[in-house]
Each structure stands twice: as structure tokens, then as C-alpha cells.
Amino acid sequence: MDPEAYDDETSTNDSFTDDEAIVNPVEGHQPAVEIEVQRDEPGENAEPEQPTVPPPILVDPPHLPSPPRNSRRNQGEEQEVISLETPSPPKKRKRISAAADKSLKKSPEGKPIVADDEDDGLTCPICLDSWEMSGEHRLVSLRCGHLFGESCIRRWLNESQRQSSVKVCPQCKTKATFRDIRHLYAKRIQMLDTDIREQLEAERRRTHTLTTELATAKLAHTLATEKLILLQKDYERLKEMVRAGGGRGAFGGDASGQKTIQQLATYRLYMEKNFEITREPGCRVLLYSAKHSMLVASQKSAQNLFPGYGVRFIDPPTFKPLHFLHTSALLIRDIAFSDSQNLLTVASREQKIKIFDIRTRLCSSMFTAHDKMLWSCALDRNEREHFLYGGDLRGGVYIYDLRFPENILCEFQAEVNLSPVIHIAPVQPNKIFTSGGFLVCQLTALTFYEYAAASDTAVPTRLNVEGPFLSMQYDAVQDTVLISARSNPNYPQSRFILGRMDKIDGTPVLKVKATIYGSKATPVMTRPTQLGVEDNTLVVGYLQDNKQLMMHDVRREERVQTMPVNEVVYDICPVATQAGSYLAALTDNKCRVYKVNSSMR
């Protein structure tokens, strides 16, 4: 044989490919294959020196690529061993062509654009293969929230238990068990980065809070400046009085046109009548309508055939109880009259506000708010006379149209203060608030919703008053707000806060006119009232620890009268008739009527 031919044949026989190796596809362990190289006998003319035959070569069959996953599970092939020491392989990323890459580098505006990874959220981090909606490799998650294919994570947990005796998540190394595997039903998983949105919302709330604090500080500065000016004027008048040898008219000639303190009349309360409304306790709300000349009080039904609660109509001139109107099965929380229509609204602890016609005493319509308990109600006036306001148990406020009971025109859900809405009061348009608005009092916050110009969109602003609160009353004639605040660690006594709405740098604030301190203990929710008389305001409230009815003169800045009351006074209401001014005080089942008398000193 030719030596060159022999070398070619030897090199050809020594170089085996993967296809020439015989491997059993079923068995997991593949034995080494013994290969013998056979050569032809040399001819007579061959060279005397013959090369030695190489010994048999043991060749390990190379590792074959894994067959498809479906075929492996269907054929029952032995599962692969996963090493916990091996780091997780990098995630597959879809290749982008050169043309597409150039088109994604810049947008038409010339700004760089980052291409979204189309495979993000579609592959298993263990096998880097797409998971399925069903089958062995379906999408699952662990308690820590990481996503895997079910078969992969089960094999991982088994191997983790075998190697380290602890089952852990392959990504965050958190302890996990087979019971933590949860099936997910999703065709595509994408993560939206909401951190920026949350940061913007937090920054917006922070900016709004700082704006309110700045307006409050400016208001305090304005009030201090006004008080300083008044003190300077008083000082100059006292100097003139001392130089003139004294005199009675030292404080005369007020530039505001109001009467001086010496010219103001003094007021006293005298018991006029005390009558029983019902024998069953449960009276809570008292309301007077000057437009309809009607006084109503909530009470518990005395008829066993119609259990529940309703309102008792009372004749103001004679203060005699009239007919009873059954309204709800639960305790009544709030009542409101419509000045332009013969309507009465009632809000109890039920999931609806009911509208009754005063003339027929029938329920004309009902309003609901996503099956939530509604605690308060109010009816607007003038151009918004068809607006009904409702407040729920979780701080939400709803606006309805009386002509369309099934729809909610607008709703405002509380984000921070989730306490119940205890009272709502519409504010009519004036010089400061040209479009008007409405006040919302919760147990922990007081908010003013200002209507935007020429629209029904309201913008909420939390006012600069610290709670917790017991009640709120708005006097449309005097344009003043009376708030009752419960005692707390910062204020050991209850407070009656009288103020007026104002604006500083476009931010609504409450300009406090007087703060009256009451009792130290406030276990019961009671409502005080304000009574406007000439150029003065009287605040009447119940002191729970002393069991007294108190009257405070705002102009004189002093408590002018206290009267003992054996029962808890839940609500107080001013009643103006042709015979004079009265105050009606509601107890658990009775109504006390006081006559307001004035006298000059």
C-alpha cells in the first residue's frame, strides 16, 4: 500500500463525528464505545517497516443537545440534575435587525427611545423557555412573587432540598415549599413602573399641604397685625381720655359702623316650655325651616306595627307635637330641608338617602352610593337647588341631581382621612367665592369644596382647623361657621370655634373669630348652635361634664349665662317666629323651649 494512502485512511478513520457514535436514547447513562481501527494487509511491494497498530481507543460520547421539552416529558426521560452553585443564566433577549435598531435609536423628534423587550415576562428564569397556560410548564409563582414554570420550580425545590436540606427560591433565596406554588392565569406578564407616578402623587400632596400651611401662617400674621392696630387705637384713645380727665365715651365712634360694647344689649334665656315628644328614647336631630315655618325632630317609632325611626313635626308658634312620619329602620343621622321645594331629606345609617314630600308625606325618591352607608345629607339653594349632597361612612362625598335619582353627578373619595362625614353645608356665591361651594365636616377633618368658575367641578381644600370634630353648623345669613371640637391631648377642653370663610393667595382658609372652651369630657356627640342678634352673635352649647346649658356673647367675649339641665342635650336649634326668638333643645325624648329676651344695661 502507498504510504500516503495509508496516512489518509488512518486520519479518516481516527476522526469520528457525533453522528457515528452509537448512543441509547432511552437510557440516561451512556457507556463508552470501544472502537477498533482495522487496516488492509500490506501488499508484497510494501516497505519492510510497518507501523504499529494503535490500541483500541475509548471515546466518551459527546453530550447531545436536549430534545424538545414536550417529547422529554412524554417519553418519561430522567430529569436533569440542577446545581445550586451555578448562577442563573442570563435572560434571552430577542435579536433586533440592523435596520430596526437604527429606526429605534432616534424618534422623529430626535430623542432616544428605548425599545421594550418583547420577551420580558414571557420566559422561565430557570430554563429560559416560554411557559405555558396549561400543562406541566404552566405559569406559577412563589410566595415571594417570582414567576417560574411549574415543572422547573418543582425540580428546583427537590434539588434544593437534596443538596442543602432547605427549599429556597432560585432568585431571592427565600424559603419556599410546594404549598407556596400558586397557579397564575395570564397570557403575558408586563411590569409597569409606578414609582414615578407614586412619587408625583406624594409630591402633589406635599405641595398642597405646604400651600395650606403657608396660607394659615399668612392668616395668623394678618390677624396679629389687625389686633396690633386695634390695640394701638385703644392705647391712643386711653391717652386722650386720661388727658381729658376721663369720660364715658372713650370707645365711641367705631369706624366699622357697629355698636360699641356699652351700646350692645344683653340677652338671657328663660324656660318657656318642656314637652315630651315620645316615650321611647332615641331623639337625636332637631331642625327648623323658616321658609316652611316648620320644626322637626327625629325620634324612635312608638308603633309596634312600624318599628324603626322617623320625624315628628312640631308647630313653632304653639310648640305642639303634630303628626309622625316614618322614614327608616335605623337611627336618623341627618335631616335637611329644601328652601325652594317642599322636600325633606333624611339620612340614617342605611345605604340610601330618602326624599319625602312635605305635603303628601310620601317618599318620592331614594339615592344610593355603591351600597355604602350614608351618614349626612344637604340640599343646595338658588341656581343649584336641584343638587343633593351625601356623605358616607368612609369619607366619600357624592353629588346628585334630584331630577335623576339613579345617577351620581360627581363623587369625591377620601384618600387620607377615612372618617365618616357627619355634616355637609352648601355655601352660596359671594364676593370671595364667586361660584360658591360646600363645606364637608368629617370626624377628623374639615374640607371646603370650591366650585370652579362657570362649571360644576369642585376643588377640595382642607381647612386650617384641628379636630376631632363633633358637629358643624353654617349660618347663611351671617356667613359664619360654628364648629364643635372634641377634647383631645392637645386641647384638654372641648371647643366651640366660630369663624368665617376667607381666601389668602387663592387658598380657602377659615378665619377664626372666636374660640370658646367647654367641658373636659365629651363622651356624647352634641351639636351647639349660633344665634345672630343685631350686631352680635350668641353661641349656645351643652357642657357635658357640668350638665349645663351655656350661652356665650361673642362681642363681649364672655359667658353670660349657664343653666342646669338634668338630661343630655343632643341638638339645639334657633327658632324665629312672629312672637319672638326661641331656642329649642332636644334631649333623649323631650324638647325644651327657651325664650330669648334682651335688655339694655
Side-chain angles (χ1 to χ4, degrees), residues 218-454:
K218 289 185 177 181
L219 175 63
H221 179 266
T222 303
L223 294 177
T225 304
E226 292 177 357
K227 190 173 182 179
L228 178 61
I229 294 174
L230 291 177
L231 290 175
Q232 289 177 348
K233 289 182 179 180
D234 293 342
Y235 173 70
E236 294 297 332
R237 288 172 185 171
L238 288 174
K239 286 175 61 178
E240 293 295 332
M241 183 180 66
V242 171
R243 289 176 183 177
R248 186 173 178 179
F251 290 92
D254 196 334
S256 62
Q258 295 181 345
K259 294 181 179 180
T260 61
I261 296 179
Q262 286 78 8
Q263 296 174 343
L264 291 176
T266 59
Y267 294 89
R268 304 284 294 180
L269 297 178
Y270 297 93
M271 172 70 74
E272 183 79 10
K273 192 175 183 179
N274 185 13
F275 61 93
E276 185 179 73
I277 299 177
T278 177
R279 295 182 180 180
E280 298 290 336
C283 300
R284 290 295 182 272
V285 185
L286 187 66
L287 184 63
Y288 174 72
S289 174
K291 180 73 174 179
H292 304 288
S293 183
M294 188 174 299
L295 180 66
V296 294
S298 67
Q299 69 165 81
K300 188 176 182 180
S301 176
Q303 300 178 4
N304 296 330
L305 187 60
F306 300 99
Y309 294 84
V311 294
R312 174 72 66 179
F313 291 83
I314 303 172
D315 182 35
T318 60
F319 292 100
K320 291 183 179 180
L322 302 177
H323 50 270
F324 172 76
L325 173 62
H326 186 275
T327 59
S328 60
L330 300 177
L331 183 70
I332 295 176
R333 299 290 310 178
D334 202 3
I335 302 175
F337 274 107
S338 174
D339 291 342
S340 59
Q341 306 177 60
N342 296 311
L343 298 178
L344 174 70
T345 63
V346 177
S348 59
R349 292 180 178 177
E350 296 179 340
Q351 298 176 352
K352 49 183 172 288
I353 297 176
K354 296 181 181 180
I355 304 292
F356 294 89
D357 194 318
I358 299 175
R359 297 164 297 182
T360 61
R361 286 178 282 172
L362 296 176
C363 181
S364 58
S365 57
M366 293 185 293
F367 300 84
T368 59
H370 313 301
D371 296 332
K372 295 183 179 180
M373 295 173 58
L374 298 173
W375 274 39
S376 57
C377 60
L379 288 168
D380 215 325
R381 306 179 183 88
N382 301 333
E383 65 271 7
R384 297 190 180 95
E385 61 180 5
H386 297 291
F387 279 15
L388 169 67
Y389 303 97
D392 66 11
L393 184 65
R394 302 288 292 173
V397 181
Y398 308 89
I399 304 178
Y400 306 89
D401 193 323
L402 296 176
R403 298 164 293 185
F404 307 99
E406 64 278 359
N407 298 328
I408 300 178
L409 294 182
C410 187
E411 62 178 286
F412 303 89
Q413 297 297 333
E415 299 178 357
V416 180
N417 298 287
L418 302 179
S419 58
V421 177
I422 57 178
H423 198 76
I424 302 176
V427 177
Q428 297 305 303
N430 50 37
K431 294 181 180 179
I432 301 176
F433 304 99
T434 56
S435 299
F438 56 96
L439 287 162
V440 176
C441 182
Q442 300 175 247
L443 289 178
T444 58
L446 180 64
T447 309
F448 178 69
Y449 291 77
E450 181 183 5
Y451 282 116

Side-chain angles (χ1 to χ4, degrees), residues 282-285 331 333 349 422 443 468-471 484-487 494-496 519-528 541-545 547 566-571 586-588:
C283 300
R284 290 295 182 272
V285 185
L331 183 70
R333 299 290 310 178
R349 292 180 178 177
I422 57 178
L443 289 178
F469 303 108
L470 294 173
S471 66
S484 175
R486 191 189 297 267
S487 57
S494 61
R495 292 166 294 152
F496 304 111
S519 58
K520 297 182 179 179
T522 53
V524 183
M525 293 186 65
T526 59
R527 301 182 181 184
Y542 177 71
L543 305 179
Q544 299 187 32
D545 54 356
K547 295 184 179 181
N566 296 329
E567 301 173 306
V568 177
V569 177
Y570 291 98
D571 201 353
L586 184 67
T587 62
D588 215 355

Side-chain angles (χ1 to χ4, degrees), residues 43-51:
E44 296 177 357
N45 298 327
E47 296 179 2
E49 185 178 357
Q50 296 181 0

